[in-house]
C-alpha cells in the first residue's frame, strides 16, 4: 500500500477507519465541492476488488464514467494513484455536467454536424440527443474494434473535447482551435497502431493459455494470471510500450512446484529474445507448454477454496496452496488469512501469519499484503 502521508496530501478529508488500512471514509474534493465517499479494500489490498460507496449526488455525477472507474481500479498500483485518477475523472464529470446547462450557440451545432459529415457517419457509433457526447468506432490493422468517447463542451471547437479510451497508457490529443473531429480520429488511429504490438501480445496469451485473472480483460489491462498446471499459475505485468521485453512476473502455488519454475526462469533469463513473442519466450525460459483451459478443466485444476468452498471470491480465484504435496489444497488468500487469524495456535510476525493448514495441519504462512 502507498504511504498514508501521500494519501493525506492528495485527500486530506479521507481518513482510515481501521488499523489494517482496509477501510477509508471521508470526502473527495473537486471544483471546491466535497463529496462523501467510503472505500473498502480486501485484505490483500488489490484495488480491482475494492468496494466504493458514495453519496447519491456523487453517484449521479459519475454515472457515465463507471467503466472508466473500473478500469482505473484495475490498473492503479495503489490507493493514492486511484484517488488522483478519481479526482481527475470527477473534475471532468463536473465540468461536463455544468456544460449541459450552458446553452449552445447555433454555430456549435452547425460546426459539429459539419465535422461529423466530413469524418463520415459510418465512423459514428453513438450520439446523444443533446449532441454533447459522441462515440467513434475504429478498427486497427488487425481488425480489432475500438471506441473513443468524446465529451464536448459549449466552446467546441475553440476548446477540445475530453477523450475517454480503453488504453493501457494515457491518450492525450494535440488540439488547435481550427482542428476538427477528423484530427482527433487520426490521432486515435495513430495511437491504436502504436499499441498494436501490445495487443498482439495480450491476444496471443488470451488465445493460447488459460487466463485466470482478469476474467474478462479490457484492452487497457496489462496483467494476466496464467495457469501453468494444477493449482500453479504465473502472474505477469506487461509493459505496453515494450511488450516484448521481459515482464514483471511472480508465481503462485505450492513451494515444491513453484521453486523449480523460479529457478528455471532465473537460470534461463539470458536466453530472452525480444525478436520472438513474449509467450514463446516464457515457454522457452520455463521449459514448459502452457496447458489450455480445455485440458486443465478436465483435471482438478479449478478446485474450490477449501475454506469458503467457492472458486471465485470477489472476482479472485484461489491463489494459495498448501505446500505439502500430499495435500495441495488451494485457498483464497483472504480466506486463509482470516482462518489463520482465528486459530489460537497461530503466531504473527509483522504482517506474516503462521498457522496450520485447515486440511492437513501442516504449518504454513500467509502474508496480509500478498
Amino acid at each position: 500500500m502507498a504511504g498514508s502521508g501521500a494519501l493525506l496530501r492528495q485527500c486530506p478529508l479521507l481518513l482510515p477507519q481501521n488499523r489494517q488500512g482496509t477501510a477509508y471514509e471521508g470526502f473527495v474534493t473537486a471544483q471546491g465541492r466535497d463529496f462523501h465517499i467510503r472505500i473498502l479494500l480486501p485484505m490483500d489490498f488489490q484495488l480491482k476488488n475494492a468496494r466504493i460507496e458514495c453519496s447519491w449526488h456523487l453517484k449521479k455525477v459519475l454515472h457515465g464514467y463507471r467503466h472508466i472507474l473500473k478500469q482505473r481500479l484495475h490498473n492503479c498500483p495503489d490507493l493514492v494513484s486511484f484517488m488522483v485518477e478519481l479526482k481527475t475523472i470527477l473534475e471532468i464529470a463536473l465540468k461536463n455536467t455544468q456544460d449541459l446547462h450552458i446553452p449552445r450557440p447555433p454555430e456549435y451545432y452547425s460546426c459539429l454536424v459539419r465535422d461529423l459529415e466530413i469524418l463520415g457517419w459510418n465512423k459514428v457509433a453513438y450520439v446523444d440527443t443533446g449532441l454533447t457526447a459522441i462515440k467513434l468506432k475504429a478498427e486497427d490493422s488487425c481488425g480489432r474494434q475500438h471506441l473513443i468517447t468524446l465529451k464536448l463542451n459549449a466552446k467546441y471547437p475553440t476548446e477540445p473535447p475530453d477523450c475517454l479510451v480503453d488504453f493501457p497508457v494515457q491518450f492525450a490529443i494535440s488540439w488547435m482551435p481550427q482542428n476538427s473531429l477528423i484530427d482527433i480520429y487520426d490521432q486515435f488511429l495513430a495511437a491504436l497502431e502504436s499499441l498494436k504490438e501490445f495487443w498482439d501480445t495480450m491476444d496471443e496469451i488470451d488465445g493460447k493459455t488459460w487466463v485466470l485473472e482478469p476474467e474478462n480483460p479490457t484492452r487497457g489491462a496489462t496483467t494476466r494470471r496464467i495457469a501453468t498446471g494444477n493449482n500453479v499459475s504465473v502472474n505477469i505485468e506487461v509493459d505496453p510500450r515494450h511488450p516484448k521485453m521481459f515482464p514483471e512476473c511472480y508465481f503462485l502455488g505450492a513451494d515444491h512446484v513453484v521453486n523449480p519454475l523460479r529457478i528455471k526462469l532465473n537460470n534461463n533469463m539470458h536466453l530472452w529474445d525480444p525478436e520472438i513473442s513474449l509467450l514463446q519466450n516464457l515457454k522457452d525460459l520455463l521449459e514448459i507448454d502452457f496447458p489450455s483451459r480445455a485440458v486443465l478443466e478436465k483435471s482438478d485444476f479449478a478446485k474450490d477454496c477449501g475454506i469458503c468452498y467457492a472458486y471465485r471470491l470477489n472476482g479472485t480465484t484461489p491463489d494459495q496452496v498448501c505446500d505439502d504435496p500430499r495435500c495441495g489444497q488451494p485457498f483464497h488468500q483472504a480466506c486463509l488469512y482470516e482462518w489463520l487469524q482465528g486459530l489460537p495456535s497461530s503466531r504473527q510476525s509483522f504482517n506474516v501469519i503462521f498457522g496450520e493448514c485447515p486440511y492437513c495441519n501442516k504449518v504454513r504462512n500467509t502474508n496480509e499484503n500478498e
Side-chain angles (χ1 to χ4, degrees):
M1 283 293 294
S4 57
L7 184 62
L8 189 63
R9 285 192 294 276
Q10 285 296 334
C11 300
L13 301 180
L14 187 68
L15 300 174
Q17 301 298 301
N18 59 12
R19 282 196 315 170
Q20 292 84 8
T22 58
Y24 290 83
E25 188 167 4
F27 298 89
V28 58
T29 304
Q31 294 196 2
R33 296 161 64 185
D34 296 331
F35 298 90
H36 183 259
I37 190 169
R38 189 163 181 251
I39 299 173
L40 302 172
L41 301 172
M43 293 302 295
D44 59 5
F45 296 107
Q46 293 291 313
L47 280 179
K48 62 185 178 183
N49 298 319
R51 196 163 88 243
I52 298 176
E53 300 171 355
C54 52
S55 64
W56 69 268
H57 191 191
L58 179 57
K59 197 176 289 186
K60 185 178 177 183
V61 171
L62 294 174
H63 177 72
Y65 298 82
R66 285 182 183 175
H67 65 294
I68 299 295
L69 285 171
K70 281 185 180 177
Q71 181 185 326
R72 295 297 180 261
L73 267 176
H74 197 279
N75 290 337
C76 286
D78 52 50
L79 185 57
V80 177
S81 306
F82 173 70
M83 292 308 297
V84 171
E85 296 273 9
L86 174 61
K87 287 171 74 173
T88 302
I89 293 168
L90 185 53
E91 291 278 353
I92 293 170
L94 286 169
K95 187 157 73 76
N96 287 329
T97 303
Q98 291 163 3
D99 284 342
L100 291 176
H101 304 293
I102 300 174
R104 262 82 166 152
E107 298 80 26
Y108 168 88
Y109 297 103
S110 59
C111 178
L112 182 56
V113 171
R114 184 200 67 214
D115 286 355
L116 285 168
E117 286 177 345
I118 293 171
L119 176 65
W121 288 97
N122 62 319
K123 297 181 177 69
V124 179
Y126 167 83
V127 181
D128 73 340
T129 53
L131 290 180
T132 59
I134 298 167
K135 287 185 181 181
L136 304 178
K137 58 186 177 181
E139 271 191 10
D140 61 28
S141 57
C142 291
R144 288 178 287 248
Q145 298 286 331
H146 302 270
L147 289 173
I148 179 170
T149 301
L150 308 178
K151 303 276 188 178
L152 296 98
N153 63 46
K155 295 182 180 178
Y156 176 85
T158 305
E159 292 183 4
D162 291 316
C163 302
L164 304 173
V165 292
D166 186 9
F167 281 4
V169 294
Q170 188 176 8
F171 175 65
I173 60 166
S174 173
W175 184 264
M176 300 287 285
Q178 63 268 28
N179 287 148
S180 68
L181 295 183
I182 200 163
D183 297 295
I184 293 179
Y185 195 78
D186 288 342
Q187 292 177 54
F188 181 53
L189 289 177
L192 293 181
E193 288 313 299
S194 72
L195 290 165
K196 174 186 175 298
E197 200 171 68
F198 167 74
W199 285 320
D200 287 346
T201 297
M202 305 313 271
D203 283 354
E204 184 184 18
I205 292 170
D206 293 340
K208 295 182 178 179
T209 70
W210 184 2
V211 174
L212 301 172
E213 296 176 87
E215 197 172 2
N216 297 299
T218 64
R219 286 293 175 198
T222 58
T223 61
R224 295 291 190 274
R225 182 179 159 214
I226 309 168
T228 60
N230 282 356
N231 300 310
V232 185
S233 57
V234 60
N235 199 86
I236 63 169
E237 172 88 33
V238 180
D239 183 344
R241 293 298 188 196
H242 307 284
K244 287 190 175 180
M245 299 305 289
F246 185 79
E248 288 185 35
C249 58
Y250 64 88
F251 295 95
L252 296 159
D255 286 345
H256 70 277
V257 182
V258 161
N259 285 338
L261 291 173
R262 286 198 189 105
I263 291 167
K264 282 181 184 176
L265 190 65
N266 290 331
N267 289 346
N268 295 334
M269 204 174 291
H270 65 283
L271 299 174
W272 189 273
D273 182 0
E275 297 301 313
I276 62 176
S277 75
L278 183 145
L279 183 61
Q280 188 58 52
N281 268 307
L282 286 176
K283 286 181 181 180
D284 293 345
L285 268 63
L286 295 173
E287 299 172 13
I288 62 169
D289 275 324
F290 287 97
S292 69
R293 180 173 190 146
V295 169
L296 283 177
E297 281 191 325
K298 290 176 183 175
S299 71
D300 62 349
F301 178 85
K303 278 169 111 178
D304 295 340
C305 169
I307 295 171
C308 73
Y309 302 113
Y311 184 59
R312 289 200 174 269
L313 176 69
N314 296 326
T316 65
T317 58
D319 56 5
Q320 304 288 307
V321 182
C322 178
D323 292 333
D324 190 330
R326 293 167 298 180
C327 177
Q329 176 64 45
F331 308 97
H332 295 114
Q333 192 272 337
C335 293
L336 185 61
Y337 186 81
E338 190 175 339
W339 171 277
L340 294 178
Q341 266 195 322
L343 290 179
S345 57
S346 295
R347 59 187 179 83
Q348 188 160 353
S349 174
F350 297 100
N351 61 348
V352 179
I353 190 165
F354 299 83
E356 295 176 349
C357 169
Y359 275 64
C360 70
N361 297 328
K362 176 184 171 67
V363 174
R364 61 152 298 133
N365 66 77
T366 190
N367 190 313
E368 180 182 9
N369 298 317
E370 269 182 0

